[in-house]
Amino acid sequence: MPTIFDLFGFPLDDRSESAEAIRKARQCPFMGAICDGGGNRYQTEIPLTPTEPLTRYFNPGIQRVVPGVCSILAGADTWVVCPRRLLAVRFAGEGLPPINHALQGYERDLLISAGLPQGIRMGLWSEVALKQRIEDADINYHFDYIAAPLAEKTLESVLEDLGLTTEQIASEIKGLTDTAKKSGYYARGVRNPATVPILLPDINAPYILEVMTASTSGSDTENNTDMRSAFRNAILNSDHTSPGINKRQVWGRMVTQLFAKTALAKEWGGRTVWIIQDELLRNIELTTRLRTKSVLNRPQNNISLVVMHYEVSPESGKRNMSFKTSIDGDAGIDFAGNDTFTDILLPKTAPPRIELLRAILRRRLGAIVVL
């Protein structure tokens, strides 16, 4: 039966004082912030009421907790079910993120393998939503992360770099500065913000980073195998059975985005990289005709993967997350379209970079890394 493996960032059997202190504060050690369940587990949130058995476990004053399950052990395989376990570069505090805040060693390896340049400040923005309406069509993309080099520049100069005319800059500047103010790019009370240098992204060659993990299958509250019950029993050192792994649903969703987001980044002069656990990739290859070892490398037309895995330490026998390999292979379709039904996988058009800038400025700068 499946069981929880990692709980708030530590193997379930790790009941050390340091691990328990993080759990009792409902912290995610990979974000250095309160665990959010990976951003998609709020429906399983548990109110810590006087009658809830977990209330006595967590620190006083905590009123609600999201099940902090990072991965699940199913048979001999350990499946990551929280995207923060693979990549969680985000800062939840006030002001600018400290450089390399909570950056894990394997995350550094991952980002270098993804192609991010070393030795310069790179900004990362999480959960970036780009929406545009053109020719009666709604363009709506959600990016797990956008990464780009950072520079202290004025918004006016960034718009000039994007090739906007003087008239276009005048039309755009107020809306963009208002957006940037709301997202914390300017200090309070700044006058003439359009001419004040701030940390802004160079989006001439952006990176799109997409994190794909397994999800959990349907749960059974009657038999205490739902996420809340499994989490509660695991925390309280009781026997537990966790929800199982839903493999097909995740990679099926991934396929619908794989080509479109890769084509978008290529059109913008950048790169899309898919971050995936080896267990999920292995399952995809077992159930489809894909064989990544046989796919030819075509640099101008590649799908790019970064593969992570739980590595077993020969000394301790413990499983630790680590970078495994990177894979680049021919997408098999022309990103410009080829008048076949495979064109259904491609975006109708790539929004101009100004739309990407708008989308980024709607988000706080989530992380600054120097690799």
Side-chain angles (χ1 to χ4, degrees), residues 102-116:
L103 184 69
Q104 310 297 313
Y106 63 83
E107 291 177 319
R108 183 179 186 277
D109 295 340
L110 180 163
L111 294 173
I112 290 173
S113 181
L116 272 64

Side-chain angles (χ1 to χ4, degrees), residues 8-319:
F8 288 107
F10 294 89
L12 182 58
D13 60 3
D14 185 347
R15 295 288 175 166
S16 64
E17 185 176 337
S18 57
E20 287 292 89
I22 286 174
R23 289 183 181 129
K24 290 178 179 180
R26 57 172 181 165
Q27 292 286 303
C28 168
F30 313 118
M31 288 196 300
I34 293 173
C35 170
D36 63 358
N40 57 6
R41 209 177 284 158
Y42 288 108
Q43 69 274 16
T44 62
E45 189 176 60
I46 301 173
L48 298 182
T49 63
T51 58
E52 167 57 54
L54 285 174
T55 301
R56 65 179 182 271
Y57 175 84
F58 288 97
N59 291 342
I62 294 177
Q63 298 180 340
R64 313 182 76 83
V65 62
V66 177
V69 178
C70 312
S71 56
I72 287 174
L73 185 64
D77 300 327
T78 307
W79 292 83
V80 174
V81 295
C82 176
R84 313 289 187 247
R85 189 63 182 93
L86 298 183
L87 183 64
V89 280
R90 60 186 66 205
F91 178 61
E94 297 295 325
L96 285 176
I99 292 176
N100 293 346
H101 169 75
L103 184 69
Q104 310 297 313
Y106 63 83
E107 291 177 319
R108 183 179 186 277
D109 295 340
L110 180 163
L111 294 173
I112 290 173
S113 181
L116 272 64
Q118 300 181 52
I120 66 171
R121 288 183 300 180
M122 294 291 295
L124 286 99
W125 294 261
S126 64
E127 298 169 13
V128 177
L130 190 158
K131 298 180 180 181
Q132 186 187 22
R133 185 171 179 81
I134 56 165
E135 300 178 11
D136 297 324
D138 289 321
I139 293 176
N140 190 348
Y141 289 103
H142 179 279
F143 305 110
D144 289 345
Y145 294 94
I146 298 287
L150 286 170
E152 288 196 16
K153 305 183 78 170
T154 67
L155 260 175
E156 283 184 345
S157 66
V158 168
L159 295 179
E160 289 172 0
D161 292 343
L162 292 177
L164 271 66
T165 65
T166 302
E167 292 76 16
Q168 288 172 325
I169 291 174
S171 173
E172 295 283 356
I173 198 69
K174 185 180 187 307
L176 287 175
T177 52
D178 288 348
T179 299
K181 280 182 182 178
K182 290 179 182 178
S183 300
Y185 289 86
Y186 291 101
R188 291 182 181 178
V190 170
R191 297 181 179 180
N192 302 318
T195 60
V196 175
I198 55 175
L199 273 183
L200 288 170
D202 177 353
I203 55 173
N204 285 309
Y207 293 84
I208 298 172
L209 305 175
E210 295 291 319
V211 185
M212 298 305 298
T213 63
S215 64
T216 52
S217 61
S219 55
D220 185 345
T221 54
E222 186 175 336
N223 291 314
N224 290 331
T225 63
D226 61 296
M227 183 58 77
R228 287 192 186 94
S229 299
F231 172 74
R232 181 184 294 112
N233 291 334
I235 283 283
L236 300 177
N237 272 320
S238 302
D239 291 336
H240 77 279
T241 300
S242 77
I245 299 299
N246 189 333
K247 308 157 192 174
R248 173 98 186 175
Q249 180 186 34
V250 174
W251 71 255
R253 187 173 69 248
M254 171 184 171
V255 167
T256 64
Q257 305 177 52
L258 190 66
F259 299 95
K261 290 183 177 178
T262 300
L264 274 179
K266 184 174 183 291
E267 186 68 21
W268 286 329
R271 185 184 191 202
T272 297
V273 178
W274 296 82
I275 300 157
I276 187 170
Q277 188 192 3
D278 59 348
E279 298 289 3
L280 183 54
L281 180 58
R282 182 170 67 91
N283 180 260
I284 293 172
E285 295 200 7
L286 285 172
T287 54
T288 72
R289 292 190 64 181
L290 176 66
R291 300 293 180 268
T292 52
K293 290 183 179 179
S294 303
V295 179
L296 298 177
N297 185 6
R298 272 184 68 196
Q300 299 304 314
N301 207 53
N302 275 346
I303 298 290
S304 297
L305 307 179
V306 169
V307 184
M308 308 298 289
H309 75 143
Y310 273 108
E311 184 177 46
V312 179
S313 168
E315 292 83 17
S316 64
K318 293 183 178 179
R319 306 184 192 198

